[in-house]
Amino acid sequence: QAPSCLAPCLWHALAMLQLYKNEAVTNVARRQINIREMELHWYSNNYSQLAAQGAMFAGFAFTQLTTPLNGKASAALQYTYMLCTAFALGFQLCVCLSSTFCCIFGRGLALRGPHGARSVHVAVDNLRKEQKLVFTQFLLGGLCYLFSQMSQLFIFRKPVTAIIISVVLAVFFFMIVYNTIEITAKLQVSETVAITGQIKALGPYERIKDLDQEIYAPLDRSMYATAAG
């Protein structure tokens, strides 16, 4: 009778080992996703900040475009002013739209992607790649807005007053450039040494598909085919 009792016990032990192994892999994968979620939140917050600041600059630029110009100013100065303002508005609108799309579709891909953990990796990696372009557009829009303000001074103010204010703005312009370069050099992490939350050793386990979809989808299709027949 002992051998007959040993078989169920052995099967139970094997089943328990399989469950423990699956639980161990699942826990490690979940912790990896938690780390990647921190990256996702960080990129989303960056895009939200860029979108808010870009919307503010875009509002200022739009107000300037709708302001009537002084007819006494030269045509070249007016064209320079309008072009700088238009570029500032265009760059900041690109920042707002790109940031909005990245936040909406990036989070959506990470949450509802068809490939599970791989969808999270794709979402985070693409948010990282797009951030540099969006940030560059934001800087260019801010510089165009500053040049627009300097051109506006020579249109609506006397030349002496415009020159004095332009010198002050130029000083702050170089301060902004200097601070931007200094802060970026000290705090920005290079892409070659940046650490991500992706654990490449778990790559084979990330190919496991949604069990619910894999188990019940074929039954649903067979039911539909039977009903149609």
Side-chain angles (χ1 to χ4, degrees):
Q1 190 175 0
S4 62
C5 180
L6 182 61
C9 294
L10 181 60
W11 178 86
H12 181 71
L14 293 175
M16 291 296 292
L17 285 176
Q18 184 181 19
L19 292 176
Y20 286 142
K21 288 172 60 179
N22 293 341
E23 183 181 7
V25 174
T26 302
N27 289 335
V28 175
R30 288 180 60 183
R31 291 180 181 178
Q32 176 192 214
I33 296 302
N34 291 336
I35 298 174
R36 299 248 79 181
E37 186 179 8
M38 295 172 60
E39 294 182 88
L40 183 67
H41 287 322
W42 182 72
Y43 286 120
S44 299
N45 290 333
N46 291 345
Y47 284 117
S48 298
Q49 293 292 331
L50 289 173
Q53 300 300 322
M56 181 184 66
F57 279 111
F60 292 157
F62 180 78
T63 302
Q64 289 184 202
L65 284 177
T66 57
T67 301
L69 297 179
N70 186 359
K72 297 181 181 180
S74 63
L77 186 59
Q78 293 186 21
Y79 285 135
T80 302
Y81 166 71
M82 296 299 293
L83 283 176
C84 290
T85 307
F87 275 113
L89 177 61
F91 279 126
Q92 299 302 341
L93 286 178
C94 288
V95 170
C96 294
L97 293 177
S98 299
S99 300
T100 302
F101 291 156
C102 286
C103 287
I104 293 176
F105 296 111
R107 285 177 173 269
L109 177 61
L111 180 64
R112 304 173 63 245
H115 302 296
R118 286 185 294 168
S119 297
V120 178
H121 298 325
V122 171
V124 175
D125 292 341
N126 281 280
L127 289 178
R128 174 180 53 82
K129 294 176 183 178
E130 290 294 327
Q131 182 177 239
K132 186 175 182 180
L133 175 61
V134 175
F135 186 69
T136 303
Q137 292 174 346
F138 176 77
L139 290 179
L140 290 176
L143 294 179
C144 290
Y145 179 76
L146 183 59
F147 287 134
S148 172
Q149 288 294 315
M150 296 175 67
S151 302
Q152 186 184 35
L153 291 173
F154 289 92
I155 295 177
F156 293 98
R157 303 293 180 182
K158 295 180 180 180
V160 178
T161 305
I163 291 175
I164 295 174
I165 300 177
S166 296
V167 170
V168 176
L169 290 178
V171 172
F172 281 102
F173 167 75
F174 287 110
M175 289 178 59
I176 292 172
V177 173
Y178 174 78
N179 290 332
T180 301
I181 296 175
E182 184 182 19
I183 293 174
T184 302
K186 291 181 178 180
L187 299 181
Q188 187 181 26
V189 181
S190 175
E191 295 292 338
T192 57
V193 298
I195 298 175
T196 65
Q198 184 178 7
I199 303 176
K200 298 187 181 298
L202 295 178
Y205 298 103
E206 295 171 357
R207 295 187 177 92
I208 300 176
K209 299 182 179 180
D210 189 347
L211 297 180
D212 178 71
Q213 183 178 5
E214 289 298 312
I215 292 175
Y216 290 101
L219 294 178
D220 294 339
R221 287 195 292 265
S222 62
M223 291 174 57
Y224 293 150
T226 305

